[in-house]
Every structure is written in structure tokens, then in C-alpha cells.
Amino acid sequence: MNVTRRRLLTTSGSVLGLASVSALSNFSSTTKALAATQGSTANNSALPAYADWKDANHLIIHSANTMETKRHAFGSGIITPLERLFVRNNIAPPSEEIVKDPDAWVLEVSGVKNPQSLTVAELKTLGVSTVAMVLQCNGNGRAYFPSKPSGTQWTVGAAGCVMFTGVPVKTLLEHVQGMDEGAKYMTGTGGEPIPDGLDPNTIQVERSVPLEAIEDALLAWEINGKPIPLAHGGPLRLVVPGYTGVNNVKYIKRLAFTAEQSAANIQQSGYRLAPMGEKGAPTQESVWTMPVKSWITYPSDPDEQVHAGKIQIQGLATGGTTDVTKIEVSTDGGESWHEAEFIGPDLGPYAWRQFVLSVELETGTYKLASRATNKNGETQPADRLENNRGYLNNSWVDHSLEVVLV
């Protein structure tokens, strides 16, 4: 079992009060703050030029480089519409010029028997495959940490399920006659511009993942059937299903097979599971794979009045790196659980599944929660894994919500 998952499943700790995003009585101060970010005032923020095609009404706009999908805006479909898909950039993206002629973008391939540079147009001649997968920021759920770690205060919306199309990395490796002896990692380097005079390692987005990640990895040029826009890493993105967002390197300009992990700060000290009060360091576990996770999406709209009677409680569940096989829903904050039903098509082990529980509820206040179990038998835990930066929060308690039926 992956070490991160094992720790997530066995960590115990105090339970955070249920976060509420609907019409509530007796809000806690934390809940009020979270609910406020999902109100109409967020829509007054201007979208940056590279993402001005986004639907601001369904996004929480944290900054020019960080936008999340509102909980109720995931809708009833499996695939997240691009105009509602979250945006997260570690540094400012490159110029829009790079997506005007996407086929001309050049990828350097090294650490292989036949090193070479290929344009996207040339990559398209090697092979093509499509994968449905959850794309999720490492810090999704950070807002629920009582320690308030630094970084964007994501709730549930730094995630989406999308379809990426590109050439399998395994096919590319065949073309370049395999990787060099001694390679242990696949390392992708992003194409964000580095200001003159700066050591690239200080800000460069360059991530290394274990070779096992190659199995279903793609070099993708399309998302949901369209050329990948700049906001999501076009013209070419490294796609590593089951791995957190930062490992899916945007604007990838170099793919290397290396004996060591990248020397970039984002690898050596960034995205590490540092204990509370400590900074990230190479000796700590790197944030690579996603854990099993789920959350309720309906009812959750703070502007919608929900009436007592027959209610279709809906949500989304992901198994992380494997299929999600079971989903349970509670209406009393985890005191009792009811197995819910998966609906819609199964798009594979890396995609999330929609679920629904049909219940009769009387007027009153309910604490809705969901917990998922994956093919490996790993069940979403009650408690979060405490860490200094608020990564990998899959606590079902934290992702619960309180609703009032009238």
C-alpha cells in the first residue's frame, strides 16, 4: 500500500466541526467565512486575460492564478465543463502566443537511448490515446484545516474530471528506443519563462515521479476534445493519471528519465508532507498520488431553498489511483450510514463516479456526509492527515456539510 494512503487511513485526531455551505442556523465563524467565499461577491473579481472565457458565476476567484469550482456547480455530469474547471498555476503562465500554433511546440526528450526533440505535430504521428481522469490540486480541502496553512484556501472545487488525449509515454519510449540504464524517475519540465538572473531551480516547475507512473501517462494536446488552452497547460501537458495536479506538468518542454529527482525547489522542498511547524525537505514524503475521496454536491447551493420530502442526495467519488467501488452517505453526521448508488457511465479507474441516495427527509437540519471505498479496500477516513501545508485532505468530516430543509 502507498505510504501516503496508509497514513491517511490510519491517522487519528480531533474532528473538525462540519463545514456548512447552505442555509444554516448557528454558523461557526469558520463556516461563515467559507460560505461567504461562495456567494455572489466572488463574481465581481475580474478574470485574467488567459482565462477570460471562464464562467465566473460558477467559480470562486481567489486570485489571477487560482480559481475553484463552486460546490454546487459540478452539476450532474461526470465530465467537468472547461469553463467551470479550476485553475491553479504556481507561477504566471507563458504568453498566449504559444497556443496559437500548438503543433509547432517542441518537446525535448532526454535520458533515453535516442535523445531527440519532437514537435507536437510529430508526436501526433506516433500514437494516440484518451484517458478520463480526476485532475485535483494537492491542496484541495486546505480551507478545512484549523491551522490555516499558507496557500490558497481551497474547499472542494480545486478538482475536476476531464478527458485528456495525447500520445502514451510508453509509445514515445518505444520511438526513442527506451530509457537509459539506471533511470528511476520520469521528470517533466514546464515551459514557464524564467526571469533573467534567477536560478531556475528557485521557481521552475519541474517534477519527478516514480517510473511506475509511466504506465498510463500521456503527453496530451487535447482536453475534453479541444486543444488544451493556456489556462490548463496547452499546447502540451504531461498527464499522469492518479497523481496530484502539480505532477501533471503544464507547457511541458522537456521530458527526461533520470536517476535522481529534480533539483528544483518545487521537488526538493515543495509538495512534501512536512509535519506541523516544519518546512518541506527532501527527507519527507513527496506528494504524488491522490487518496480515495468523495463529497456531496447536492444539496449545497447556498442560494437554493430545499424543501422537505423526497431528496436526491448527490455527489462525486474518486478512488485515487484505482476504481472507487463503494460509496456511503450519512444524513446525521456519520452516526449512521446508507450505501448509495453509482449512476452514469464508468469511465475507468482514474475518473470519478457520480452517486445518489434517495431519501425521505422531514423539515429540519441535517449533517450530510459521504465516504468512499476503492478497489484496494481503502476507505475515506474521518480525520485529515495533519501536515504543514494542508495537502491531501480527504477527511469525510471536513467535507461534510449542514443543510436546512424547509
Side-chain angles (χ1 to χ4, degrees):
M1 182 187 295
N2 178 276
V3 175
T4 299
R5 288 193 182 164
R6 182 168 63 248
R7 292 172 62 185
L8 284 167
L9 292 167
T10 59
T11 299
S12 62
S14 60
V15 174
L16 181 66
L18 292 170
S20 309
V21 293
S22 190
L24 303 182
S25 58
N26 301 320
F27 264 167
S28 68
S29 59
T30 299
T31 297
K32 287 180 179 178
L34 292 178
T37 65
Q38 302 201 38
S40 59
T41 55
N43 299 330
N44 294 331
S45 300
L47 290 165
Y50 75 92
D52 60 7
W53 49 272
K54 291 279 185 178
D55 180 357
N57 289 326
H58 291 97
L59 297 172
I60 302 168
I61 304 169
H62 295 283
S63 73
N65 285 323
T66 52
M67 310 164 210
E68 73 170 290
T69 311
K70 293 180 180 178
R71 186 190 280 248
H72 67 273
F74 287 106
S76 297
I78 294 178
I79 300 301
T80 307
L82 290 186
E83 63 270 16
R84 298 188 186 187
L85 183 63
F86 82 101
V87 174
R88 167 68 170 110
N89 288 305
N90 281 280
I91 56 178
S95 165
E96 286 275 3
E97 293 296 317
I98 69 171
V99 292
K100 289 184 177 179
D101 183 10
D103 281 356
W105 183 261
V106 176
L107 174 74
E108 177 190 338
V109 185
S110 62
V112 294
K113 302 290 175 47
N114 183 19
Q116 56 189 273
S117 295
L118 298 100
T119 64
V120 170
E122 290 171 324
L123 289 172
K124 288 179 177 179
T125 68
L126 302 183
V128 63
S129 184
T130 296
V131 63
M133 57 173 274
V134 174
L135 187 64
Q136 181 174 210
C137 179
N138 307 262
N140 199 28
R142 178 183 287 133
Y144 303 125
F145 279 72
S147 59
K148 295 303 173 191
S150 63
T152 302
Q153 296 302 298
W154 306 109
T155 55
V156 301
C161 188
V162 294
M163 304 277 288
F164 277 115
T165 297
V167 60
V169 169
K170 289 196 300 183
T171 301
L172 173 65
L173 277 170
E174 292 175 4
H175 175 74
V176 296
Q177 300 171 20
M179 66 185 77
D180 286 343
E181 297 295 329
K184 295 180 180 178
Y185 300 95
M186 177 173 66
T187 299
T189 306
E192 294 92 342
I194 307 298
D196 291 339
L198 281 184
D199 177 357
N201 285 333
T202 60
I203 64 170
Q204 186 166 254
V205 178
E206 184 174 82
R207 289 287 294 175
S208 301
V209 294
L211 289 184
E212 63 190 37
I214 292 174
E215 186 62 29
D216 295 303
L218 300 178
L219 288 159
W221 49 78
E222 282 189 5
I223 183 171
N224 291 359
K226 299 179 180 179
I228 302 178
L230 190 71
H232 296 299
L236 190 67
R237 183 168 187 172
L238 176 61
V239 171
V240 191
Y243 282 63
T244 59
V246 72
N247 300 293
N248 294 260
V249 178
K250 301 184 184 78
Y251 333 110
I252 185 167
K253 66 178 181 181
R254 182 169 61 249
L255 185 68
F257 298 89
T258 59
E260 303 294 336
Q261 295 182 31
S262 168
N265 288 355
I266 199 172
Q267 181 78 31
Q268 293 296 310
S269 58
Y271 297 97
R272 298 280 175 169
L273 288 174
M276 299 295 292
E278 295 185 21
K279 294 183 178 180
T283 55
Q284 298 155 356
E285 187 178 352
S286 190
V287 180
W288 280 326
T289 58
M290 292 185 290
V292 60
K293 187 173 182 178
S294 69
W295 60 86
I296 304 291
T297 59
Y298 179 84
S300 67
D301 188 343
D303 297 322
E304 180 183 4
Q305 191 175 66
V306 183
H307 294 275
K310 195 168 188 178
I311 305 294
Q312 306 298 317
I313 300 173
Q314 299 175 54
L316 301 164
T318 172
T321 57
T322 189
D323 306 79
V324 59
T325 56
K326 182 180 180 181
I327 183 70
E328 299 166 283
V329 170
S330 174
T331 60
D332 54 14
E335 293 295 323
S336 62
W337 293 93
H338 310 277
E339 189 163 352
E341 176 187 1
F342 288 119
I343 58 173
D346 182 349
L347 298 183
Y350 303 115
W352 62 31
R353 296 296 307 274
Q354 303 162 277
F355 64 84
V356 64
L357 178 70
S358 181
V359 291
E360 290 274 355
L361 297 177
E362 299 177 352
T363 300
T365 300
Y366 296 87
K367 295 179 179 179
L368 305 183
S370 64
R371 66 181 183 189
T373 299
N374 68 16
K375 189 177 180 179
N376 294 333
E378 299 160 344
T379 297
Q380 189 176 350
D383 302 320
R384 74 189 78 81
L385 171 65
E386 300 292 352
N387 62 90
N388 197 45
R389 290 301 307 276
Y391 293 139
L392 299 181
N393 187 358
N394 68 335
S395 158
W396 65 254
V397 173
D398 285 356
H399 290 79
S400 303
L401 71 159
E402 193 173 77
V403 299
V404 177
L405 303 188
V406 297

